[in-house]
Amino acid sequence: MPAAPVVPSSMQAICFTEPGGPDVLHLETLQIPKPGRGEVLVRVMAAGVNRPDLMQRQGLYPPPPGACPRLGLEVAGEVVACGLPLEGATMPAIGSHVCALTNGGGYAQYCLVPAGQCLPWPKGFTAEQAAALPETYFTVWSNLFMPSLPPQGARVLIHGGTSGIGTTAIQLVKAFGGQVFATAGSPEKCALCEELGATAINYRTEDFLTRIREMTHDKGVDIILDMIGGAYFNRNLKSLAMDGRLIIIALQGGAKAEQADLARIMTRRLTVTGSSLRPRDSRNKARIAYELQDHVWPLLNKGAIRPLIHATFPLAQADKAHAALEAGNHIGKIVLTVSPA
């Protein structure tokens, strides 16, 4: 039986003391936490960088009660310690490689994670690839595929097609038999959306509503996954087919929609929903993880779908990683690499 990994007493972690730009991020030396009941301690090898991290750094997205106040919502690494298991739950084995949706604190050499939010690295994956999975795959799966899979041939519009969420959503919808449309802001980004299986719309040179009506022969799309919010709200409603569904997962274009067309929602039986992943409880997140391992991990294991990584930065350069994400020129995910303590 192999010896348990040696865990030091302290670690390096990214912290900030007041909201601001990327320059407020800095390394601090902290005590390594001990896992409580139902938790595992992960030696972090890589951590994903996500837009909620930027918003939290800016003071616009406070962590929910009880969550770790530090940045980092997804990690990949090695399980080095386990707390007592919850009743009926299975704990990952010490020494196993997992990727995990965290409750905060992923920008560090060690991170506590609820055991149910851990998934194994897909076959042949690096730490960077594994760290690029949890936040986007949990988000896309819970919004587009739960509680039931869309019907074969469902028409789905993905806004922000080359973001981490966008590239994941395009591949998953395509893999499960949907017809995908995606918006992007340059010919290069549109070309990538097409390569992944979507019909691309350049939102800088084309009106997505006009193009959706043309391409669907005025039928519209069945589902829209939207990260823009208020600025797109009415055009999204007009892009939906009868009984269509608008899912709002971010508000990059504002939280308010002027003169919302409520009559259209009623007469076309539209559903408008919104969701946020981080405030969900661990039981809910564990259910998403279970479905991902059952439905999606086989596709990752055989290479049918993959995460796209735009750039990696060492942990100490988290400020540069945030600046790169804010610039908006990325295609796919930005990931931090973490050296051992």
Side-chain angles (χ1 to χ4, degrees):
M1 184 175 180
V6 175
V7 180
S9 60
S10 63
M11 66 177 183
Q12 294 285 291
I14 293 292
C15 301
F16 67 99
T17 53
E18 59 183 20
D23 59 311
V24 303
L25 301 179
H26 59 274
L27 277 174
E28 286 189 17
T29 300
L30 304 176
Q31 291 295 112
I32 293 178
K34 297 186 183 303
R37 192 174 185 88
E39 291 183 321
V40 297
L41 179 67
V42 175
R43 178 177 68 83
V44 179
M45 300 177 185
V49 178
N50 295 283
R51 196 159 293 277
D53 299 334
L54 308 188
M55 296 174 63
Q56 183 178 337
R57 188 207 73 222
Q58 295 164 347
L60 303 175
Y61 189 50
C68 176
R70 289 184 281 106
L71 300 178
L73 299 175
E74 59 184 348
V75 299
E78 177 190 14
V79 175
V80 295
C82 296
L84 293 173
L86 295 172
E87 185 176 352
T90 302
M91 304 293 281
I94 289 179
S96 61
H97 283 176
V98 298
C99 55
L101 184 75
T102 80
N103 294 337
Y107 290 12
Q109 291 174 316
Y110 289 85
C111 181
L112 289 180
V113 182
Q117 294 167 211
C118 295
L119 287 159
W121 288 15
K123 185 178 179 181
F125 269 45
T126 65
E128 293 79 13
Q129 290 171 316
L133 297 174
E135 174 73 10
T136 52
Y137 277 78
F138 274 69
T139 298
V140 172
W141 188 262
S142 62
N143 282 286
L144 287 182
F145 297 90
M146 294 177 72
S148 61
L149 301 183
Q152 285 286 316
R155 298 182 298 272
V156 182
L157 172 60
I158 309 296
H159 288 304
T162 56
S163 65
I165 294 286
T167 55
T168 299
I170 290 171
Q171 292 181 82
L172 283 178
V173 171
K174 193 72 176 176
F176 285 91
Q179 181 182 1
V180 196
F181 305 89
T183 59
S186 72
E188 294 77 17
K189 290 185 175 183
C190 285
L192 176 68
C193 291
E194 297 272 352
E195 181 184 328
L196 293 175
T199 300
I201 303 166
N202 188 333
Y203 66 82
R204 297 189 190 278
T205 60
E206 304 174 290
D207 174 54
F208 75 81
L209 170 58
T210 301
R211 292 291 289 128
I212 287 295
R213 284 177 167 172
E214 291 172 353
M215 291 185 290
T216 63
H217 307 289
D218 281 330
K219 292 179 181 177
V221 294
D222 302 298
I223 305 171
I224 299 175
L225 186 65
D226 177 54
M227 313 172 199
I228 306 302
Y232 276 11
F233 187 75
N234 281 315
R235 278 190 289 165
N236 278 334
L237 294 183
K238 292 175 182 178
S239 299
L240 284 170
M242 187 71 74
D243 295 309
R245 183 159 57 110
L246 169 60
I247 306 164
I248 302 170
I249 60 170
L251 302 170
Q252 296 176 28
K256 295 182 179 179
E258 299 299 327
Q259 298 179 334
D261 190 352
L262 301 182
R264 189 173 190 87
I265 296 174
M266 294 172 61
T267 58
R268 294 184 67 80
R269 301 191 300 270
L270 306 181
T271 301
V272 179
T273 65
S275 77
S276 181
L277 181 61
R278 192 174 187 188
R280 299 185 188 214
D281 63 32
S282 290
R283 183 175 297 179
N284 185 285
K285 293 173 183 175
R287 186 164 63 249
I288 301 170
Y290 177 83
E291 290 206 12
L292 284 170
Q293 186 158 6
D294 191 34
H295 295 286
V296 177
W297 253 236
L299 298 173
L300 290 164
N301 283 326
K302 67 182 183 181
I305 57 177
R306 68 194 193 281
L308 273 68
I309 296 178
H310 177 76
T312 62
F313 295 84
L315 180 65
Q317 294 180 13
D319 57 337
K320 292 185 169 128
H322 274 221
L325 186 58
E326 287 181 337
N329 298 319
H330 60 290
I331 293 176
K333 294 282 296 209
I334 293 173
V335 175
L336 298 174
T337 57
V338 184
S339 299

